Amino acid sequence: MTARESAPMRTLLLGLLCIGLLLLAGAAMPRWLTFLLTMALANGVVALGIMLLMRSGVVSFGQGLVFATGGYAAALGFRWLGWTDGLLLTLAGGVLAALIAAPFAWLIARYRGIFFAMLTLALSMVLYGLLIKSTTFGGSDGLNMGRVSYLGMRPADAWVGYTNYAVTVAVVGMISVLMRIYFDSVRGLVVLSARENEIRVEYLGSSVQSLIATNFIIAAFCGGVGGALAVIALGHVEPDYSYWTRSGDFVFVAILAGHHSVLAAFIASIALELVRSFSSAYFPNSWQLAMGLFLLAVIRFLPSGIGSLWVARIRSGTAQSNAEVRGPA
């Protein structure tokens, strides 16, 4: 078995190890930190979808659309259909978000740059207008949902927070593993090539429009899953989930992370949540300034994102190893 053929197995084993370590660490965390990490991971998987699109050379400013779709799907499934299983509600949120995004994917994939961003933003704001005017969906107050169960078991009060955290870690961890495998696949590398030179990719026989449309649907699924997980943890969903500022938060995280590393998306999301929480606590009237300075510092010193810190070293180490194996010319 070659190194390339064994890469997916290594990624899976590393992902399972990280999931196990996070589950063990969560058992010793205070409740406030467990909740913060739950929300950061839910937001991070949405930003991971934007990262996938960034590798295609486009950026979506409308991830609030699929985030809200996933959240409302979970809340409505709980209230109207009587679904109480958190895993089923999470899957429903991701699938419904992907289905809603699918009819627009091929059309939006024709555009690039600011046009792609504005079209996705417009779709998100259309949903915001519908939600805030609809009494069926709770209007501006949104909807509440009760406590969910997992595989037929309802956790005790003292373990609700940790159970939601554990399920979020497991779901997000498996999505991250699959995303990393996709990044390293032939199709994933072709997508990255399209970012640099679309014409060359087209000449090689691949449809860039098809690649971006597929990635748009995958990103929508990730956004729906993140929305469902966030609503399950909060117990509430509201139209602001689809507002442009929420989409801006996800883009913020994606810019901080860069498009190189899956892990960077979650590090950036956790960093954002920590900065937002502590700055709003100690600087309630100027916490947005602290967040802006934080973003400027990252852009100034890490223009390729947080992931570039270790990706560049790994690549240079790999190149050096390959040179040593080949030996002198």
Side-chain angles (χ1 to χ4, degrees):
M1 182 179 292
T2 64
R4 184 174 183 82
E5 292 172 344
S6 62
M9 183 57 67
R10 291 200 306 270
T11 301
L12 177 60
L13 292 176
L14 183 59
L16 293 176
L17 177 61
C18 292
I19 291 172
L21 292 175
L22 287 173
L23 293 178
L24 291 175
M29 291 179 188
R31 291 186 179 182
W32 70 267
L33 183 56
T34 302
F35 177 77
L36 185 146
L37 290 179
T38 301
M39 297 304 298
L41 292 173
N43 292 335
V45 76
V46 185
L48 188 60
I50 298 179
M51 179 187 294
L52 175 61
L53 292 172
M54 287 172 61
R55 291 173 68 89
S56 312
V58 294
V59 178
S60 171
F61 278 77
Q63 284 300 93
L65 166 71
V66 291
F67 186 73
T69 299
Y72 273 91
L76 293 174
F78 185 91
R79 292 167 62 96
W80 290 0
L81 302 178
W83 295 349
T84 59
D85 188 88
L87 294 175
L88 177 61
L89 294 173
T90 301
L91 179 62
V95 171
L96 182 60
L99 290 176
I100 287 181
F104 305 101
W106 191 260
L107 171 65
I108 292 178
R110 297 173 56 188
Y111 298 90
R112 303 290 182 271
I114 191 64
F115 303 103
F116 185 97
M118 290 297 101
L119 279 173
T120 55
L121 177 60
L123 291 174
S124 180
M125 292 306 296
V126 167
L127 178 63
Y128 172 77
L130 293 174
L131 292 175
I132 205 168
K133 296 294 184 181
S134 173
T135 57
T136 304
F137 299 130
S140 59
D141 295 329
L143 297 172
N144 293 324
M145 66 176 293
R147 188 176 301 172
V148 300
S149 61
Y150 294 103
L151 302 178
M153 297 177 288
R154 192 178 300 274
D157 293 346
W159 289 93
V160 170
Y162 176 76
T163 304
N164 289 336
Y165 165 81
V167 171
T168 301
V169 167
V171 172
V172 170
M174 292 310 300
I175 290 177
S176 302
V177 168
L178 294 175
M179 191 68 79
R180 182 69 263 174
I181 293 173
Y182 179 66
F183 283 0
D184 295 334
S185 68
V186 174
R187 186 179 180 88
L189 295 176
V190 170
V191 167
L192 194 58
S193 301
R195 172 188 173 91
E196 305 299 332
N197 193 323
E198 288 190 17
I199 296 177
R200 181 176 297 175
V201 172
E202 292 280 357
Y203 272 120
L204 290 174
S206 297
S207 170
V208 175
Q209 185 177 356
S210 176
L211 292 171
I212 294 178
T214 302
N215 288 352
F216 185 76
I217 296 174
I218 295 174
F221 178 81
C222 292
V225 168
L229 290 172
V231 169
I232 288 172
L234 282 171
H236 181 75
V237 62
E238 57 189 19
D240 283 349
Y241 277 29
S242 186
Y243 199 55
W244 69 268
T245 52
R246 182 58 64 99
S247 298
D249 287 343
F250 300 136
V251 174
F252 190 108
V253 172
I255 292 174
L256 288 181
H259 68 275
H260 302 284
S261 170
V262 170
L263 178 61
F266 300 101
I267 293 177
S269 183
I270 293 171
L272 175 63
E273 289 296 328
L274 288 172
V275 170
R276 176 159 38 200
S277 298
F278 285 100
S279 59
S280 60
Y282 293 103
F283 311 104
N285 297 321
S286 58
W287 65 271
Q288 294 95 338
L289 176 62
M291 289 183 60
L293 293 174
F294 176 63
L295 178 61
L296 288 175
V298 172
I299 292 175
R300 171 62 181 83
F301 297 105
L302 293 171
S304 297
I306 295 174
S308 63
L309 283 173
W310 57 84
V311 170
R313 294 181 180 179
I314 292 174
R315 288 177 178 172
S316 62
T318 302
Q320 184 177 358
S321 299
N322 292 337
E324 291 175 354
V325 170
R326 288 194 299 267

